Amino acid sequence: MTKTLKLNTALFFALLLISGFAIYHQLGDFAHLKNADGVLTDMRSMVLWDIRFPRIGLALLTGASLAIAGNAMQGIFQNPLASPGLLGSSSGATAASVFILYYFAVPFSLLLAGGVIGALLSFLIVYLIAKNYGTTMMILSGLAVNMLLGSAIALLLSNAESPWALAELYRWLQGSLMWAKLDTLLISLPIVLVGIFCLYHTRRYLDLLTFGVALLVGATIPQTGTIGFIGLIAPHFARILLKARPSQLYLTSSLIGALLLLMADLAILYIPLFSHIYIGTLTALIGAPCLIWMLLTQQRKIYD
């Protein structure tokens, strides 16, 4: 058995064990709860299908999607510091979602479509600006588009007339899995699969690769809000463990990303120290030191 297969097998079984814990932890407490009429009711089925399965599924799908997108970006630009939002896709999905949440009361399917369209449009703008000028110009264009969209988001927030609307938008921007639903998860899954298909079958074409990244990001952000660093550190950990090229790390990166986000969500649910923060904040608290370590490592490689 090769090292890659051993690692992927270990990660897969770790995901199964932790997912099993998340599904069945204290489930018996919901077997005899009183409903609004004071009648004892078995709520375990509702808890499983309406809360736990969607939340765990969203953690796995989002973590894997961000890690795959991050691995693709790091492979495209041959830079371990590249992330899924480098070319504006994350900011585009976030800005479109905030705009829709701010002005419209729409079903989730339309919010998801808006996130995907926002991610694709922001990437398209970056691509049109930089298509004839190489990767450096593309990175700079992505930086400019990210700054512009960040300003647009700040403008929407500053003009919020209702403090309740502002609070909801702020909560969403911090990142959370609390809005997970099984039906919306099933809508996102085909979009993610199309994105993975684009990444896997068009690895030599920059435009289609980044199109796949935009689909992966756009399909998850409307459900979770902003969750950073998973797409940056999961591929980096995979590369450290296997010492392989990004093209060989998609599966390992996805498993690590899913595992990291699931563990972060469980930490928020069951560890009192983290119970009052959002998952995007927790991943930033973990990811920022990792990023500093990565920067220092890259600097030593340059000067050694």
Side-chain angles (χ1 to χ4, degrees), residues 64-79 82-84 199 209 213 230-232 234-236 238-239 244-254:
S65 297
L66 293 175
I68 291 170
N71 185 69
M73 296 301 290
Q74 291 175 17
I76 291 168
F77 295 103
Q78 295 296 301
N79 190 329
S83 67
L199 292 180
L209 272 169
V213 170
I230 295 294
L232 177 65
H236 191 73
R239 190 163 49 253
R245 298 188 301 274
S247 60
Q248 300 171 315
L249 296 175
Y250 280 105
L251 178 58
T252 306
S253 296
S254 68

Side-chain angles (χ1 to χ4, degrees), residues 2-268:
T2 65
K3 183 178 180 181
T4 300
L5 182 57
K6 288 180 180 178
L7 178 60
N8 290 341
T9 303
L11 290 170
F12 177 75
F13 279 107
L15 275 175
L16 285 181
L17 289 173
I18 296 173
S19 298
F21 167 81
I23 290 170
Y24 294 107
H25 178 65
Q26 296 180 338
L27 185 62
D29 294 348
F30 300 94
H32 305 287
L33 291 181
K34 289 184 178 180
N35 60 20
D37 299 322
V39 179
L40 288 176
T41 306
D42 188 347
M43 305 291 286
R44 288 176 294 181
S45 178
M46 187 193 75
V47 169
L48 281 175
W49 291 104
D50 292 348
I51 299 174
R52 293 194 174 179
F53 278 130
R55 186 160 183 153
I56 293 167
L58 184 58
L60 298 178
L61 182 67
T62 302
S65 297
L66 293 175
I68 291 170
N71 185 69
M73 296 301 290
Q74 291 175 17
I76 291 168
F77 295 103
Q78 295 296 301
N79 190 329
L81 302 179
S83 67
L86 184 64
L87 300 184
S89 296
S90 295
S91 296
T94 301
S97 299
V98 168
F99 179 80
I100 293 171
L101 289 169
Y102 185 88
Y103 286 108
F104 307 100
V106 299
F108 176 79
S109 56
L110 293 180
L111 177 62
L112 180 62
V116 173
I117 291 170
L120 293 174
L121 284 178
S122 59
F123 157 67
L124 181 62
I125 293 170
V126 171
Y127 178 74
L128 291 176
I129 293 172
K131 64 178 181 177
N132 296 322
Y133 300 99
T135 56
T136 301
M137 184 62 176
M138 187 164 284
I139 292 172
L140 293 174
S141 300
L143 177 62
V145 169
N146 277 324
M147 293 176 64
L148 177 62
L149 293 172
S151 300
I153 294 169
L155 181 63
L156 286 172
L157 294 177
S158 64
N159 288 330
E161 297 179 358
S162 167
W164 302 109
L166 180 61
E168 283 300 307
L169 287 171
Y170 177 80
R171 289 173 60 195
W172 182 84
L173 284 170
Q174 299 309 300
S176 177
L177 303 178
M178 63 185 296
W179 300 287
K181 294 182 179 179
L182 195 59
D183 55 344
T184 55
L185 190 64
L186 294 176
I187 296 174
S188 295
L189 184 58
I191 301 173
V192 169
L193 293 176
V194 172
I196 293 173
F197 178 85
C198 291
L199 292 180
Y200 185 77
H201 289 281
T202 58
R203 284 173 286 183
R204 296 183 180 180
Y205 302 98
L206 177 62
D207 49 355
L208 290 177
L209 272 169
T210 44
F211 175 79
V213 170
L215 287 178
L216 290 168
V217 171
T220 52
I221 281 183
Q223 294 184 82
T224 64
T226 305
I227 297 177
F229 289 99
I230 295 294
L232 177 65
I233 62 177
H236 191 73
F237 288 160
R239 190 163 49 253
I240 290 174
L241 291 170
L242 294 178
K243 295 180 173 57
R245 298 188 301 274
S247 60
Q248 300 171 315
L249 296 175
Y250 280 105
L251 178 58
T252 306
S253 296
S254 68
L255 292 171
I256 293 175
L259 186 61
L260 288 175
L261 194 56
L262 179 60
M263 292 175 64
D265 192 46
L266 292 177
I268 288 171

